[in-house]
Amino acid sequence: MPITPATATHSSSNGTADGILLELVDENGVTIGTAEKLSAHQPPGRLHRAISVFLFDERGRLLLQQRALGKYHSPGVWSNTCCGHPYPGEAPFAAAARRTYEELGVSPSLLAEAGTVRYNHPDPASGLVEQEYNHLFVGLVQAAPRPDVEEVAETAFVSPAELAERHGKDTFSAWFMTVLDAARPAVRELTGPSAGW
C-alpha cells in the first residue's frame, strides 16, 4: 500500500473497528469531525464519508464480493466490488484505490468518479446502521482478484441477468441496490450499451 500522510498512521481494516477513525460529514458532505468506526455505526448512526467501487471485466461483467464471515458488520453477504471508508484527510479516490487493493489484491484501471449518494440503511442482523455519504467509483479490473481472506470469502463476475438471478436467491448488503442504482449512469458510460447495465 502506498504511504501517504493520511495512511501513515493507519493499518488495514481487517474487519474489526478498533481505533479506526472515520470522517463525520454534514448533509452536503462537508467534514465536521471524526468518530471511531464502530461508534459511528451504532444506532441511530452518525453520518460519515464512505466509498463504493464497481469494477468490470473486459466483457462488461461486474465483480462482486462476498464479505468474509469474520467481519463484524454484514458478514457473509454479497456486495459490490469494494466498500470502505476514507481515513480522515484521505481523498475518496485514494481510499477507493487503497481499499480495492487491500481487499482484492488488484489495482483498478480507468477508475473514475461516479457521483455520490446519501443513505440510511439499518442492518437487522447486526443492529448496526449505515448512515453514509458515499462516494461512488467505477473502473476496470484487468487482473485476477487475489482476495484477502479476512475481508472477502468469495468473488464472482456477473452479467446483469446473472446478478438478477443471484440477487433473487442470495443475501446482499443492505446498501447494494442503493449504490448500484446511483452509479448506473457511470456504469453504462464505462461498459457501453451492449453490456446491458
Side-chain angles (χ1 to χ4, degrees), residues 10-195:
H10 303 281
S11 62
S12 171
S13 166
N14 64 356
T16 65
D18 298 336
I20 296 172
L21 293 179
L22 308 183
E23 276 189 357
L24 299 178
V25 299
D26 66 16
E27 293 292 337
N28 297 311
V30 176
T31 302
I32 58 172
T34 60
E36 187 273 328
K37 184 177 179 182
L38 187 56
S39 72
H41 290 87
Q42 297 290 338
R46 300 176 73 186
L47 186 58
H48 59 275
R49 194 176 310 284
I51 55 101
S52 285
V53 180
F54 297 84
L55 297 184
F56 297 83
D57 68 7
E58 71 283 350
R59 293 167 49 192
R61 297 179 304 166
L62 172 61
L63 175 58
L64 296 177
Q65 70 154 275
Q66 184 183 29
R67 293 166 62 86
L69 292 174
K71 292 182 81 73
Y72 77 97
H73 188 357
S74 300
V77 302
W78 286 90
S79 199
N80 51 293
T81 307
C82 174
C83 311
H85 306 92
Y87 295 129
E90 183 183 26
F93 186 92
R98 172 179 60 79
R99 286 304 294 154
T100 302
Y101 187 79
E102 288 173 354
E103 292 187 15
L104 295 159
V106 295
S107 296
S109 303
L110 301 175
L111 190 64
E113 294 181 11
T116 59
V117 62
R118 191 263 195 250
Y119 53 78
N120 175 1
H121 285 301
D123 176 36
S126 68
L128 300 175
V129 178
E130 288 288 5
Q131 281 269 21
E132 293 188 331
Y133 188 95
N134 199 319
H135 297 257
L136 309 173
F137 297 89
V138 298
L140 300 176
V141 59
Q142 297 176 309
R146 299 180 320 277
D148 177 345
V149 296
E150 291 187 7
E151 298 281 356
V152 179
E154 192 177 341
T155 62
F157 283 96
V158 295
S159 68
E162 291 165 336
L163 174 61
E165 180 182 345
R166 186 179 287 261
H167 196 264
K169 64 183 177 69
D170 293 333
T171 304
F172 275 70
S173 64
W175 60 86
F176 175 74
M177 287 308 299
T178 300
V179 293
L180 176 59
D181 287 344
R184 275 188 202 274
V187 168
R188 291 181 182 125
E189 187 175 333
L190 176 73
T191 60
S194 64

